[in-house]
Amino acid sequence: EVLLRMHSVGICGSDVHYWQHGRIGDFVVKDPMVLGHEASGTVVKVGSGVTHLKPGDRVAIEPGVPREMDEFCKTGRYNLSPTIFFCATPPDDGNLCRYYKHNASYCYKLPDNVTFEEGALIEPLSVGIHACKRAGVTLGSKVFVSGSGPIGLVNVIVAKMMGAAAVVVTDLSASRLQKAKEVGADFTIQVKNETPQEVASKVQSVLGCMPEITVECTGVQACIQAGIYATRSGGTLVLVGLGPEMVTVPIVNAAVREVDIRGIFRYCNTWPVAIALLASKRINVKPLVTHRFPLEKALEAFETTKRGEGVKVMLKCDPTDQSP
């Protein structure tokens, strides 16, 4: 294990949800819990067996650590391990604090040209990497990203990086769609009160064809329906956003057109990839951070996120650090 002095921690929609509702699905907050799972910091102390890190190293933290070497770990899909530890998923404490202890194998050294904030953004970025891999994005793909919140945006960034020829994004909010344009979306569609079929036909008309791949980042029933209708026959729909447990969808439409529907759960094996991309400047995640607060103003930061202002709200946990 290593002890870290925390630096930057991003606020996620799930953090806000636990704070407001005390549960997400089967994960129920029963005792006081530290929030935060998008994080970076500096190594202060290392355990006796740790060789790849030393005090002073700047690291990004992968929040999901398997507790046992089960079949999922053996096949490289450790995110599916049922006993996994995960920061800020009850009952496991997160890392929105000054000092934090974590498994050293899940702390990744940041190169000098990657900032602490970029290190903290690897967590949401990882969702995009995992989703686009599961979707099979490749050279020339036409991609429909439903939802332009932080997760929609990282999917746009990663899809373009992986060779997508055209990415179209839908959202209710004009300002969020503007952000999607900034990070590389080719087309945006502001949805008002169209039916799912109407949304699907708008997607087709701006792309000039039906997309092979749809990445659904809202979890809203109507959006999942639109995702099925929009996806080209033989294509893939990846469900990233989580909404109600039961959803009514046109499953026969998907079945007879051989549209594959895939789920994702967090990510695995993405930190080294993300660090390589950030270090080589192949991707830019800096525009995602729109608000910054010191740890003392955490409540204000959470309220900003809850109101849906900006994109990513970042907390700075280290009062001694004066870097920008």
Side-chain angles (χ1 to χ4, degrees):
E1 293 197 312
V2 290
L3 177 66
L4 304 159
R5 189 169 77 240
M6 298 308 296
H7 188 287
S8 296
V9 181
I11 299 176
C12 169
S14 70
D15 291 320
V16 174
H17 201 88
Y18 281 126
W19 167 50
Q20 289 294 302
H21 305 283
R23 71 179 299 155
I24 294 176
D26 295 336
F27 298 107
V28 183
V29 180
K30 296 192 172 83
D31 298 299
M33 180 181 81
V34 178
L35 291 167
H37 59 267
E38 307 178 357
S40 63
T42 306
V43 176
V44 179
K45 268 187 183 162
V46 299
S48 55
V50 178
T51 53
H52 72 291
L53 293 172
K54 61 185 189 304
D57 283 346
R58 301 159 59 253
V59 298
I61 300 164
E62 179 172 1
V65 180
R67 286 188 168 96
E68 53 187 305
M69 179 54 73
D70 59 16
E71 56 179 315
F72 298 105
C73 293
K74 288 175 184 171
T75 55
R77 299 181 75 177
Y78 56 88
N79 56 314
L80 302 178
S81 176
T83 59
I84 196 166
F85 167 92
F86 197 89
C87 294
T89 294
D92 304 334
D93 279 325
N95 44 29
L96 181 49
C97 46
R98 298 245 186 258
Y99 290 91
Y100 174 73
K101 173 168 87 10
H102 201 67
N103 182 314
S105 301
Y106 294 80
C107 295
Y108 301 82
K109 194 170 183 315
L110 291 172
D112 293 342
N113 68 341
V114 177
T115 67
F116 281 115
E117 277 193 358
E118 288 176 300
L121 288 166
I122 292 173
E123 196 278 345
L125 182 60
S126 288
V127 177
I129 294 170
H130 191 57
C132 287
K133 276 187 176 173
R134 295 263 298 151
V137 178
T138 186
L139 281 174
S141 296
K142 306 283 202 324
V143 181
F144 166 29
V145 175
S146 169
S148 191
I151 295 300
L153 296 173
V154 293
N155 274 286
V156 172
I157 292 168
V158 175
K160 293 295 287 187
M161 176 73 234
M162 287 171 74
V167 177
V168 57
V169 186
T170 54
D171 201 276
L172 297 166
S173 155
S175 62
R176 286 192 157 188
L177 290 172
Q178 184 51 44
K179 203 67 170 176
K181 273 267 200 248
E182 260 175 69
V183 301
D186 298 282
F187 308 101
T188 59
I189 298 168
Q190 189 174 2
V191 179
K192 296 193 170 62
N193 43 18
E194 294 88 340
T195 66
Q197 288 97 328
E198 286 167 346
V199 171
S201 73
K202 282 193 170 183
V203 167
Q204 183 177 357
S205 78
V206 299
L207 282 177
C209 63
M210 294 171 84
E212 303 100 317
I213 290 162
T214 299
V215 185
E216 208 301 298
C217 302
T218 71
V220 174
Q221 177 171 287
C223 297
I224 299 171
Q225 293 169 352
I228 289 176
Y229 292 129
T231 307
R232 183 183 308 183
S233 298
T236 305
L237 166 65
V238 176
L239 300 176
V240 184
L242 300 177
E245 191 183 350
M246 288 291 178
V247 181
T248 304
V249 294
I251 202 77
V252 174
N253 178 290
V256 299
R257 298 194 303 108
E258 297 191 7
V259 172
D260 292 350
I261 299 176
R262 297 189 148 199
I264 69 155
F265 187 60
R266 300 171 181 157
Y267 33 66
C268 56
N269 307 302
T270 55
W271 259 253
V273 175
I275 289 170
L277 289 172
L278 290 165
S280 63
K281 302 294 175 206
R282 294 299 303 277
I283 59 171
N284 181 16
V285 291
K286 287 175 178 167
L288 296 178
V289 182
T290 52
H291 294 71
R292 294 169 179 87
F293 293 90
L295 185 59
E296 296 74 21
K297 295 192 174 166
L299 187 58
E300 206 179 312
F302 269 77
E303 278 161 351
T304 304
T305 309
K306 187 186 159 197
R307 288 193 299 270
E309 289 174 28
V311 181
K312 181 56 69 178
V313 176
M314 197 64 71
L315 280 153
K316 202 158 148 180
C317 300
D318 183 359
T320 63
D321 182 274
Q322 295 307 311
S323 67

